[in-house]
Every structure is written in structure tokens, then in C-alpha cells.
Amino acid sequence: MVGSVLTLALSYLAQRAHTGIGGEVTAMRAIVLVKQVPDLRLGGVGVHADGTIDRAAAAPITNPADLHALEAAVQLADEVWALSMGPPNAEQALREAITAGAHRGVLLCDRLLAGSDTWATANALAAAIRWMGGADLVLCGMSALDGETGQVGPSVAQRLGWSQATGCESLTIDGMSLVARRIVEGGFERLRLPLPVVASVSETGYAPRYPSLPARRRGAAATIEHVTAADVGLGPADVGLAASPTKVAKMTPVPWPDRHCQFLGDEFGYDQLLDALIERGAFADDGVVPEDESAPADPSQLDSPTHDGDASVWVVCQAVGSSLDRASRELLSKATDLAPQLGGGVGALVLTGSSTGVVDEACRHGADVVYLAEHPSLTDYLTEPYARVVADAARVHRPEAMLFAATTVGRDLAPRVASMLGTGLAADCTDLYVDTWTRLDVAHEGLLHMVRPAMAGGVLATCLCPEARPQMATVRPGVFAVRALPRRPRVVPIDVTLMPDDERVELLERRISPADVDLRDADVVIAGGAGCDVASWHLVEDLARVIGGRVAASRGAVEAGLAERALQVGQTGATIRPRLYVACGISGALQHAVGMQDSGTIVAVNHDPDAVVFRLAHFGIVADAREAIPQLIAAFERHHRTGTMP
């Protein structure tokens, strides 16, 4: 069986040697990474008494996001192979991939692989890709349903030495290049990348096809080739639990709130609902000035001493013009709590084409040291030059911990940097603290405990990196407050030395609408879900306009094409805490709940009286969104006319 795969790989290498006029590839080959995951879309998993996951309640399925990548591969390539890593029953995911258009399925299956974190998983997948003979494209889903880390694609790209594009909703082959349209906050960007490329495909691109009966028969009859770690040249130092820099200290179930939702009925109608919302202060302007706006304008006038030496906790900041984005300011504020326990000092690593304004802003929010990398090639974000500079700076100054915002930039950059530094990475964290961890009677002092949702948000996993440094995490925007913590500025210049390959990707276009960048500042949010459709989506927008709120969406609405991904709330979207959140046609899946459950007042509209969202809601309307929203709008208009709205 192994020999058959090797024969096919060698045959393909010979085929790839033939190119057409102008150097164009005449036979395009793609490898799609697919994963078998528990189906968490309708319910979560439990946690055993020993802290391990109880998967029995969730049936195994092919990761839904990977099916989008598979469809992209089928449309782009002449030959498509599906590659998975897992136990023997993961064959089923590969059979589904063949049903959906793949020509071959390869399963990397070995007990040695058990317990691999994303760092070790990337080692295994990259080795398997090399062993298979390589490809022009390696495609994967943007994230996995059980982990939602989004790390594997960038990590594999770094192992292979290829360029990467994450969150792509459109891919086009242009000669020896890939043109990728990539989602970013508030818009999109288009990149030109030289082949070969690793790309992750978003849920808004390449809808999976419905398989025909012959395709189903082909998948059922297909022979899945099995390979072992030894076959692809891997040993215990490369994969498995012992080789993984990231350890899971504990897992705990996330408690679900039950707010004893008050439903509309005969004696509690739409007008009474509005009265109740007004009484709760859902529309009140309390006049509080955000803490970050109260900071002194000129930190250089402060008398407080600056931390001597290198900072122990770095925040990789994102400059937006002459300022820092909100997520960077949140992380700087949080880093001031962590740094004293990790050696002292907060460092802001700023990569920019022009430093005007960013140094003072970083110091206003807690930076003792600003590590400033200023270079024309850093004016616009591109993965490889940024990764080179961040990794080189970390090797020189050796921070104890490094934090990134879990934005489209952070999710793209951090996995590549972690791979370059040979360290672990905890993704999409919602809490950080420092404590001791004891394992096998060995006490690890002063470890950064990185808490992140897993299993579709139903479990909180506490991740550690006991040996490798720096300890790295991406942190979900919106979970930490921005605080005014001014320091006297001290700047350490960072040398920018780029390799020729670092600048091989070309930014063709970037379009961002500032109005769509950040939902977290909105006091009122009206969110639509899969219970809406194209014909009724305007009602969500109408309600937001009448109330004076912002439109948001669930993952289901985004996947249905009803809203841009920048408007998504949930585990892979924004985490928000508005005064008022109105959920229209949203079921309340765990992935969505983790992004909105801390809202001040939640109103839910759903036709299913047993929908989980009603456990989260303070007020509920059991009705179709198309019927309920017009009545809500009419009630708001009546209150405006009578002057009862604040």
C-alpha cells in the first residue's frame, strides 16, 4: 500500500517537470488537509472527572471548514489528494473527501502521533506532504470545529518554506502564481503569491458540492493508503505528546447561564418589552469616558521610572496609521498585570513604515519599552517580512512571553512565528494568569496559564508551555479592558534584515471600510442568524437603524452569504459586551454564545421555543423573525413618538 503511494508520487513529480509556454504548470496538483472532528454544531462534549474530554455524545464527522477547501481544490487542480492524520476510523473523512472530488486519500496513522499539539501536528503533515512528492497547492479549512485555532495552515507553510494565505474566499491561478482574496477586519485584501502555496479557505468561499450517487459509490469503494510516522521520517522527538511544547494542564466545562427568560405573552407584549428594556438601562448613555481616553497626552512628562533592561512580556502591536488598534491597547493593559510575575516590564513590539504617534500611544497603555522596527517594507502587513522581524527580535531580546491579538493579522502571523522559534502557541485565549504547575512531582514556577475555549466553546482548556520560550498566545479581542497606564517612553530600535524570499508576496489591493472594523464599541447590536434569509435580512438592518445600533451576524448567517465575516460574533468572530443585544433567528450554539453571552441585556427572537438562545436571553419572543422584527420596529417607533425613549 505504501509502495502504491510512492509510485503515484514519483509519477506526479515526473508529470510536474513538464511546463507549458511561459513556464505555466500544465498539471496542477493540490493536497487538501482534512480532519475528523466531533460534531459539535448541535451540542457540546462533556469532561470526565480526570479532566479528559468525553467525546461519546458527539458523532465523528469531517471538519466542515475542510469541505470548503476541498471544493476549492477540485475547482483549481487537475489532481487532488486528501491527507489526514488520525486513528484508523479517520478513513471515513478521506472517503467523504473522495466522494466530494478528491482522487486519492492518504491517512497518516500511528500511535506515536497521539497527543500532538499543533506544533507537532504541523511537523507530521509537512513530512507527509514531502513524502507524497509535494504539490502546487496545499489547502485546508480556516479552522477545525473542535479547536478553532487556525494554526495548522501557517505552521505547515513555515515547515515547507512556502508562502501562506489565510482566510481566503477566492483563489485564482495566474501562471506560476496564486491570486488570493483574503478576508480582513472590515474588508478584504488581494495577494499574489508564487507557487507552491499553503492557503486556508474561509466558510464564505467555495460552497461544498452535494455528492452524486456515483461519487458516493466511488468514495465507499476507494482504497485509503495508510502511512506511519516512520514512513515519513518522523520519530519521538518530532511528534506526539512528549515532543509537543504546548501542554493542557486542565479542562473544565463552561457553565451555561440560565437567565429565566421572560417571554412575550398576553400580558407582556411588545410595548411592555420596550418599557422593561428602558427600565434596565439598555438605551441609557451613562456618560462614562472610556479609560483609555483619560490617559495623559504626553507620557514623556511623567516622573515614574522606566523598567531597566529588556521587558519580559511582549505585545506584538498592530499599527493603524499613527495609532495602535484597540486589541493592541487591550493586551498592553493586561500585560502590566502579568509582567511583574514573569520578570518585569512590558514591551510593545511595533512594526511599521512610520513610527509617528505609535510610541507615545504604546507608553500611554503600559509599555515600559517600545521595540521599534521601522522599515518601508513594513508599511503594509505581509506575513513573511513581519514573521522574520518578530522572530529575529525575539531571538535577540528573549522575552519570557509574547502576546498577539487574535485578529486576522494575529491568527495569520503568530503560528508562523511560533514555528520559526520552535515554541508552542495557545490560540484565541480568553484569560491569562501566572501560576505554578506541578507535573510528575516537578514544579514549574511562574508559568503563563493561557485559558482558551475548545470543543466549540463548551470546554475551557488551560494551556501551558513549560519548557520552550517564549510562551506565546493569541488573545481574543474584547476580553480585556483598555486602561490608562502611562509610562515614560524608552525606545529600542529593532534591526530589520529581510531575506529575498521574505518579499516574494505582493499586496495587490486592500479595501477596508472603517465603519465595519469594530463591533466592540457598539452599545446596541442587532444580530441576524441562519433563521433569516435573503428576503428578510433587510429587517435586521431596519431594526438596527431604528434603534441606532450596529448590525452583526452569526456564523450561520455569514456562511449563508447574508453578511460579511467582519460582522460575525462568536468564537471565530468578535467578542462583544453591548448594553443591548438582539438575536434574530439565532439558535444559540456554543460557538456564538461565547461571543455575546456577557451582553448587558439580551433579547432573543426564534420560532423554536426550545432554542438554546433562550437560556442566554433576558427576554424572548417565540416567533419567526420575519413576523417579530416588524412588530419590534413598530413598538420602537411608538415609543419615539411618545417621547418615552431616553
Side-chain angles (χ1 to χ4, degrees):
M1 197 171 292
V2 169
S4 67
V5 178
L6 185 57
T7 300
L8 286 166
L10 292 173
S11 172
Y12 179 69
L13 285 176
Q15 183 185 35
R16 286 186 70 203
H18 300 285
T19 56
I21 297 173
E24 293 189 3
V25 176
T26 57
M28 176 69 59
R29 186 190 192 196
I31 295 176
V32 182
L33 308 180
V34 298
K35 183 180 181 183
Q36 188 179 65
V37 297
D39 189 354
L40 304 172
R41 292 170 296 183
L42 300 178
V45 297
V47 179
H48 292 301
D50 62 359
T52 59
I53 293 293
D54 176 11
R55 299 172 180 261
I61 58 167
T62 302
N63 182 46
D66 297 341
L67 298 176
H68 294 264
L70 182 62
E71 178 61 27
V74 170
Q75 292 188 28
L76 291 169
D78 302 290
E79 183 177 11
V80 178
W81 279 30
L83 169 64
S84 188
M85 170 180 152
N89 65 3
E91 272 197 7
Q92 186 56 41
L94 293 169
R95 294 188 187 282
E96 185 174 355
I98 292 171
T99 298
H103 301 96
R104 294 279 176 176
V106 177
L107 178 62
L108 184 57
C109 182
D110 197 312
R111 289 185 180 275
L112 189 62
L113 303 169
S116 294
D117 67 355
T118 51
W119 184 90
T121 297
N123 280 347
L125 293 172
I129 290 166
R130 292 192 194 96
W131 181 84
M132 292 165 67
D136 303 292
L137 285 173
V138 170
L139 301 179
C140 59
M142 200 159 74
S143 60
L145 195 62
D146 55 347
E148 301 279 8
T149 69
Q151 293 182 29
V152 169
S155 299
V156 168
Q158 195 280 326
R159 300 293 198 285
L160 296 173
W162 298 0
S163 296
Q164 69 187 60
T166 55
C168 301
E169 58 183 0
S170 174
L171 300 169
T172 306
I173 302 298
D174 184 7
M176 294 295 291
S177 298
L178 176 74
V179 176
R181 173 172 159 140
R182 174 175 177 262
I183 298 167
V184 298
E185 280 81 12
F188 70 91
E189 62 185 17
R190 288 196 310 121
L191 305 174
R192 182 185 299 277
L193 309 98
L195 297 173
V197 173
V198 177
S200 66
V201 178
S202 78
E203 300 92 337
T204 56
Y206 300 99
R209 64 185 62 192
Y210 188 81
S212 64
L213 181 58
R216 292 179 186 275
R217 289 173 175 165
R218 185 171 62 250
T223 298
I224 305 300
E225 288 93 353
H226 285 226
V227 296
T228 67
D231 291 332
V232 299
L234 297 171
D238 306 304
V239 294
L241 180 62
S244 298
T246 305
K247 313 295 184 187
V248 178
K250 62 180 178 180
M251 284 189 158
T252 56
V254 175
W256 272 72
D258 188 346
R259 298 194 168 105
H260 305 289
C261 178
Q262 182 175 1
F263 289 93
L264 260 67
D266 293 338
E267 298 182 3
F268 186 73
Y270 286 92
D271 290 309
Q272 288 74 29
L273 171 62
L274 264 292
D275 292 337
L277 294 179
I278 293 169
E279 185 176 349
R280 287 179 61 90
F283 311 106
D285 182 357
D286 56 18
V288 174
V289 178
E291 290 178 286
D292 59 321
E293 295 181 8
S294 64
D298 187 2
S300 65
Q301 302 301 313
L302 297 171
D303 295 327
S304 58
T306 301
H307 176 78
D308 293 328
D310 279 319
S312 63
V313 180
W314 282 20
V315 174
V316 179
C317 297
Q318 185 172 354
V320 181
S322 60
S323 62
L324 299 179
D325 71 348
R326 180 184 175 90
S328 298
R329 302 196 307 270
E330 292 171 1
L331 290 183
L332 286 170
S333 301
K334 179 61 178 178
T336 61
D337 298 332
L338 304 171
Q341 304 169 76
L342 291 171
V346 175
L349 176 58
V350 180
L351 286 67
T352 181
S354 173
S355 62
T356 304
V358 295
V359 171
D360 284 349
E361 185 165 13
C363 292
R364 274 198 295 270
H365 295 93
D368 297 294
V369 186
V370 177
Y371 297 90
L372 183 62
E374 190 173 4
H375 191 277
S377 295
L378 304 177
T379 300
D380 292 308
Y381 172 75
L382 287 169
T383 310
E384 289 169 270
Y386 268 59
R388 174 76 61 186
V389 172
V390 173
D392 285 351
R395 291 189 187 103
V396 171
H397 295 279
R398 303 176 65 84
E400 183 70 14
M402 188 180 296
L403 308 179
F404 300 71
T407 59
T408 54
V409 168
R411 290 173 182 268
D412 182 75
L413 176 62
R416 191 155 188 131
V417 171
S419 295
M420 295 171 76
L421 295 176
T423 191
L425 174 65
D428 201 34
C429 295
T430 56
D431 196 13
L432 303 169
Y433 64 94
V434 179
D435 204 347
T436 299
W437 181 55
T438 301
R439 182 171 182 264
L440 300 177
D441 297 324
V442 176
H444 299 268
E445 303 284 346
L447 284 185
L448 182 63
H449 286 53
M450 300 166 280
V451 183
R452 61 175 306 271
M455 297 293 167
V459 173
L460 288 178
T462 301
C463 301
L464 307 168
C465 191
E467 303 294 344
R469 293 294 181 271
Q471 303 167 81
M472 286 180 54
T474 62
V475 180
R476 186 181 299 174
V479 299
F480 298 129
V482 175
R483 292 178 288 165
L485 300 159
R487 306 286 198 268
R488 283 193 294 114
R490 180 164 69 91
V491 177
V492 174
I494 295 296
D495 179 55
V496 177
T497 304
L498 301 177
M499 301 293 107
D501 278 354
D502 293 333
E503 300 187 84
R504 57 188 165 179
V505 175
E506 180 184 0
L507 176 63
L508 300 176
E509 180 184 16
R510 176 176 283 134
R511 292 188 184 180
I512 296 175
S513 171
D516 293 336
V517 170
D518 202 343
L519 282 168
R520 288 168 289 151
D521 293 328
D523 287 332
V524 176
V525 173
I526 313 300
C532 301
D533 55 22
V534 174
S536 61
W537 187 257
H538 74 93
L539 295 174
V540 176
E541 298 170 334
D542 291 345
L543 181 58
R545 185 166 53 253
V546 169
I547 301 177
R550 292 280 302 277
V551 173
S554 71
R555 183 173 183 164
V558 171
E559 291 182 359
L562 300 176
E564 297 292 329
R565 191 174 184 279
L567 302 180
Q568 184 174 319
V569 170
Q571 187 166 0
T572 51
T575 297
I576 59 175
R577 295 177 177 83
R579 287 191 180 90
L580 175 62
Y581 188 86
V582 183
C584 304
I586 293 174
S587 65
L590 282 166
Q591 298 99 316
H592 185 76
V594 296
M596 48 67 75
Q597 62 184 348
D598 292 330
S599 302
T601 299
I602 298 172
V603 178
V605 179
N606 198 291
H607 66 86
D608 179 5
D610 297 321
V612 177
V613 71
F614 290 126
R615 291 184 58 187
L616 301 170
H618 300 89
F619 302 99
I621 304 172
V622 179
D624 189 285
R626 289 169 292 188
E627 302 169 2
I629 295 177
Q631 295 192 64
L632 268 175
I633 291 173
F636 275 104
E637 289 175 340
R638 285 194 296 273
H639 276 65
H640 277 296
R641 286 196 300 269
T642 58
T644 55
M645 292 294 293

